[in-house]
Amino acid sequence: MEHIRTPKVLHSLVYNVERLPTNSSGSPLIIRCKNFHVYRLLIPQEKDCLDVLASLTQLSCPERYGELFCFSFNPNLDKELREKAWGFINLKAEFSRMGIPCNLWHVTAANHEYRLCDTYPSELFVPKSASPAVIVGSAKFRSRGRLPVLSYFHRDTSASICRSSQPLTGFSARSSDDEQMLQAIMKSNPVSEFMYVVDTRPKLNAMANRAAGKGYENEDHYTNIKLQFIGIENIHVMRNSQQKYLSVGELAAPSMSDFLWGLENSGWLKHIKAVLDAGVFIAKAVAEDGVSVLVHCSDGWDRTAQACSVASVLLDPYYRTIKGLMVLIEKDWVSFGHKFSHRYAHLDGDPKEVSPVMDQFLECVWQLMQQFPCAFEFSERFLIQLHTHIYSCQHGNFIGNCQKERRDLRLQERTHSLWPHLWENRAEYTNPLYRTDHSQTQGVLKPLTTAYCFKFWKGMYGRAEKSVASHQSPADCLNAVREESQQLEEELSSHQEVPREMDAGQGIHMHA
Amino acid sequence: MELSEHIKTANVEDVTLRRPFHPALRGTLCVTSHHLLFSDRKDEASWQLLILLKNIDAIEKSVENLFGYPRAVGSSGTITIKCKDLLVLQLEIPGMEECLNIASSIEALSSLESVTEMYPFFYRPSHLTLNGPWGLSSTEQYYKQTERLWDRWRVSTLNSDYSVCPSYPSAVIMPREVDDDKLIRSARFRQGGRFPVLSYCHHRNGMVIMRSSQPLTGANKKRCKEDELLLQAVIDGSELGYIIDLRSAQQAQQARMTGGGFESKSFYSHWKRIHRHHERGKVVQESLIKLVEACSDPSHSVDRWLSKLENSKWLSHVHSALSTAGLVVECVERDGHSVLVHGSEGTDNTLLVSSLAQLILDPASRTVTGFLCLLEREWIQAGHPFQQRCAHSAYSHARLKQECPIFLLLLDCVWQVWRQFPLALEFSEALLLRLAQEVYASNYGTFLCNSEQERCAAGVKENTHCLFQSLLRPDIEEQYLNPLYEPTDLAIWPSVHPQSLQLWTGLFLRWTEYAQNMEEAREEVWSIVKEHHEQAGPDRTNNTLSTHCDTLTPFENLMDELTIL
């Protein structure tokens, strides 16, 4: 047990530093972190305090990637191991786990060297029936070239989840290539007669985009699509909502009413519900109705990533394992160009680009864990650890905003990968109630999204309240019980082997 | 009037039963003096639903063809039955007249007021015999077990005929140096005769928790020397005691206008009075009604839900109760002073606060037996008027009289403590849920009547079975055990920060899909622990568990990993 803790805070985790007026005992400094830890320092000399404040402020917002911690972080791995570590998650293997390529879907080289879309991965999976011309044409008709491509293939029903950005429809424009692209996606699911296009934005926002030459699919132009708006708010609304939510946690001695009113007023849980609702809609379409879904928002890298990945967690038990969640994040977020460095303010930049998109995804998973305590291999701790690493810049995985940028930064040569590190320590993140043969582990999760199911995530947001680490954890307790049972079992079986050895080893006297 | 005379139609065939999250069933409905019985006729091994009529809180009927022909073909009625355990059922009954008859029989029989007509007086299961031991504890037993009391305290039987205080038990624990005559005078000075009696003696330092009703100082600031002497004897020369008054200072002042009041500083110079406002009576009952209403509409948006949850104020009551109990614990354990708790009557919030404080302080009250003993001493014998308080629950349309879910509030608070310290209590949520059900409608006599005196007069002990005895039978008790229990001697201080308190989903969302997965998780915990016990053998069972509670700080944040245990 640790009796004395030496807190270490990475500069990159510092969200802001506040200096309170100097008093008789010294100068107080409050450090708020991006993972919602709050540290209070008391520095005896005012001058030292000002120095600390100045250095922290400077160090916590580096201007260039080269200044980030991952470029100096050195866990003493040799070159070979480091390279091997980067191969730990292999997306090609993930698609082949889904059964891709197959007779309906294949990989296209259209985005080789990021010619078609610089924020997409270089390898894209598209319907076999889509010709190269259709692919290029479709990309031209989509915002930032983010054409519809495969994100998840559901083997049981042959229905798929595809993703894209919004189409450049304006008020009347259309593209026969893009229409053919959607037709090809629908046809790749042989039994289905239509497909859903899920626009995760509120309808009003989508309509407003038409004025800027963007917008949403016109159901008259695209044959056999059903358009569905979900109403997840944009990154600016989410950023403000989280700020309010955090300030609820910081209230000094709030009453129950203050607290509940604060939760309501922040709107945060309402937004979490919207994201989960999107996932539930998609998962139901794919698994129950066997209908393919194209998901998009505006650029297709925030709400789209949320909706696709939540749906995948609901659909596929693999994504509820430790390795599976890593793969999912690598696929739906890292490879498809979620702008990690912008959203999580890795560098000093536009504050309007910052938004807790990934926070919301992790929280959706947490809310699901509350409803299905036996369905997930990992515990809450794993999600919190992931959250910290997304902000910390200790490893190279989440640096930059897309694959191309990461390649140009030569991250694989210059930094280390987080995944093998988490994998080695997976025992810390295991949920004791998880069993591969449990009924909750199997098949598609069908969560309730009734308002009363959404809880305040104390493990994440309640950290400011607790200064002392707490120890009475049932999860730890159960894990220890499990471990001991296993040891005893091993002991028992080794005891059973002893007599046989005794028979064999004549002349040796043993007293058990 | 015989009970059976209320039954106008005893049997109806072809009734359709609808329950949440179950397919509709057709079968026969039968009304008896105390039960509603539905049996599914589909196959021989038929499924049955048996509901105590007393469990029915409200009944709503909608009859089609109300002005048509009474026995017209196809006319039918639907009755919605809302139970005190929050279950809601629908019955579709063919025949309008039958439907109305059934409804009126249920209405009449579910609101019986005569205690001896109630089901516990008729419940005669073959495995139980009457005249066995009744109850688990008594004042005398508590005194015997608590060695620290022997020196300065005695058991007084001045109330053996319930004439000094009708709502107290026959025996109470009092300071040795105060004789019964003085106690009688003190009783006259307290509302309902509830003079200060010992409720708990802290095993670490011998400090005590006393409870009483308000003193009857009135507008003229009357005083009672004997009452003052009694309290002086409680602290026995130590310089200070705390009076925790469960009303705001303003309310306590106002109480003087109606003959009540508070202990003034000038007459009780060694007692420091602290006021903590607690809602009571109707306000708390309405709070429960609002909360249950909010929980029963799944169509609410998140905003609306949070606003309704806030508006119900239920969690605010939980918050106040735990905060004040924490304050009592602080006085006793940290400051080392004795405490007197009272509000007005001393039969509701007073018991809530004093029993919660004991749960936090006393490891003995955290076992199954210990907890049931605590409830018996501090609620049943101490004269919480169960019959009045639990006459109706959250659905009833009847005009509120004396109803108030203070006992439910206690169970909720205990649940919050257990959620924050999941290893510290020997019992599990299942016991709390069972008690929440039994207190409103029961086969057993334990929660009948309003006081020992009434129970005595009705012959409850002679003619009914004891719930607590039955819960402790080994085969029954097992289902109420906490698989992770690891006793600790320390006080378990719950965090009362609003973010540490949660809606008790196990109770309030009991009949929703939400409860299903939690049940599976609970089974999983049991199977892990059982497997371990089998592996480890009887003598090694607690090895691992004991290594995990070195520090007893609340850990709700980690608890959220496994909110369901």
Side-chain angles (χ1 to χ4, degrees), chain A residues 1 248-251 253-261 263-265 267 269-270 273 366 369-374 379-381 431-435 438-440 446 448-463 465-466 468-478 480-482 484-486 488-492, chain B residues 21 294-307 309-310 313 315-316 319 419-424 484 486 488 495 497-503 505 509 512-514 516-518 520-521 524-525 527-529 531-533 535-536 540 543-545 548-565:
Chain A
M1 271 192 56
V248 176
E250 280 201 24
L251 288 175
S255 72
M256 202 72 221
S257 294
D258 295 339
F259 177 72
L260 290 174
W261 190 84
L263 289 194
E264 181 194 341
N265 187 251
L269 290 175
K270 173 175 71 184
K273 176 173 153 61
W366 181 83
M369 286 162 70
Q370 301 310 295
Q371 280 195 50
F372 303 98
C374 308
S379 66
E380 174 190 50
R381 227 169 277 173
N431 168 15
L433 299 185
Y434 178 78
R435 248 196 307 126
H438 194 279
S439 63
Q440 284 184 22
K446 292 174 193 154
L448 286 179
T449 58
T450 319
Y452 52 57
C453 298
F454 292 85
K455 295 184 184 167
F456 177 80
W457 187 0
K458 192 150 187 302
M460 180 70 92
Y461 293 101
R463 294 193 207 175
E465 197 228 339
K466 281 270 122 31
V468 198
S470 29
H471 292 279
Q472 213 184 12
S473 158
D476 285 349
C477 184
L478 280 171
V481 165
R482 269 225 150 135
E484 194 179 298
S485 294
Q486 264 162 21
L488 286 165
E489 201 169 344
E490 282 160 24
E491 234 173 80
L492 195 68
Chain B
F21 311 108
C295 292
S296 48
D297 187 350
S299 69
H300 288 317
S301 71
V302 176
D303 286 355
R304 183 133 181 83
W305 157 250
L306 286 172
S307 128
L309 180 63
E310 190 278 316
K313 300 286 179 209
L315 284 172
S316 303
H319 182 252
R419 214 185 63 78
Q420 294 189 28
F421 296 94
L423 312 190
L484 301 176
E486 173 54 39
T488 168
S495 157
H497 197 282
Q499 55 180 257
S500 306
L501 303 177
Q502 280 193 359
L503 177 73
T505 47
L509 304 179
T512 66
E513 274 170 304
Y514 194 81
Q516 181 64 33
N517 298 325
M518 302 302 139
E520 287 175 11
E524 196 59 32
V525 172
S527 82
I528 294 174
V529 173
E531 192 182 314
H532 176 253
H533 284 207
Q535 294 275 347
R540 297 183 57 178
N543 281 357
T544 316
L545 298 178
H548 284 271
C549 20
D550 312 320
T551 322
L552 279 175
T553 44
F555 66 101
E556 325 68 51
N557 46 345
L558 289 177
M559 190 55 202
D560 283 334
E561 291 170 38
L562 294 168
T563 32
I564 33 44
L565 296 178

Side-chain angles (χ1 to χ4, degrees), chain B residues 138-323:
Chain B
S138 64
T139 310
E140 289 88 345
Q141 260 168 308
Y142 180 73
Y143 182 80
K144 246 183 249 167
Q145 286 160 7
T146 316
E147 209 180 324
R148 273 202 180 261
L149 289 173
W150 299 351
D151 190 20
R152 291 182 41 231
W153 299 79
R154 67 187 176 98
V155 174
S156 165
T157 52
L158 85 164
N159 198 38
S160 56
D161 57 356
Y162 307 106
S163 60
V164 179
C165 171
S167 61
Y168 269 171
S170 56
V172 290
I173 300 173
M174 301 308 301
R176 272 192 194 282
E177 60 184 271
V178 184
D179 60 38
D180 284 356
D181 288 343
K182 291 204 182 81
L183 297 182
I184 291 170
R185 285 175 189 278
S186 166
R188 283 190 201 136
F189 184 61
R190 294 273 172 178
Q191 184 174 357
R194 295 178 69 93
F195 54 96
V197 295
L198 181 127
S199 134
Y200 170 70
C201 174
H202 192 33
H203 60 112
R204 283 179 190 281
N205 56 15
M207 293 300 133
V208 300
I209 299 176
M210 307 285 292
R211 53 176 164 73
S212 69
S213 61
Q214 64 178 339
L216 302 173
T217 49
N220 307 325
K221 297 196 176 174
K222 269 190 301 213
R223 61 187 287 196
C224 168
K225 278 264 163 52
E226 291 79 4
D227 193 72
E228 292 160 23
L229 277 172
L230 166 59
L231 288 186
Q232 192 56 42
V234 168
I235 49 174
D236 183 41
S238 99
E239 72 260 42
L240 190 65
Y242 287 100
I243 295 172
I244 312 287
D245 193 322
L246 305 175
R247 301 163 297 178
S248 65
Q250 195 193 2
Q251 282 174 319
Q253 280 287 356
Q254 280 166 356
R256 286 176 43 215
M257 298 304 124
T258 50
F262 52 89
E263 296 82 357
S264 81
K265 189 75 201 156
S266 40
F267 304 143
Y268 299 84
S269 55
H270 290 284
W271 288 84
K272 185 174 162 40
R273 211 175 57 243
I274 303 172
H275 289 275
R276 283 284 182 278
H277 174 65
H278 286 253
E279 294 294 354
R280 46 198 285 263
K282 209 172 169 179
V283 177
V284 185
Q285 179 72 20
E286 276 165 358
S287 166
L288 175 70
I289 293 171
K290 282 185 197 162
L291 176 63
V292 170
E293 197 248 305
C295 292
S296 48
D297 187 350
S299 69
H300 288 317
S301 71
V302 176
D303 286 355
R304 183 133 181 83
W305 157 250
L306 286 172
S307 128
K308 289 209 142 203
L309 180 63
E310 190 278 316
N311 189 252
S312 82
K313 300 286 179 209
W314 180 262
L315 284 172
S316 303
H317 304 320
V318 170
H319 182 252
S320 318
L322 283 170
S323 309

Side-chain angles (χ1 to χ4, degrees), chain A residues 12-28:
Chain A
S12 48
L13 275 178
V14 173
Y15 171 70
N16 68 23
V17 190
E18 185 187 347
R19 190 173 78 93
L20 300 179
T22 305
N23 56 39
S24 54
S25 45
S27 294

Side-chain angles (χ1 to χ4, degrees), chain A residues 58-74:
Chain A
Q58 199 191 354
L59 286 169
S60 63
C61 26
E63 283 165 6
R64 288 187 315 275
Y65 281 118
E67 297 166 37
L68 291 172
F69 181 48
C70 58
F71 293 103
S72 50
F73 174 63
N74 185 4

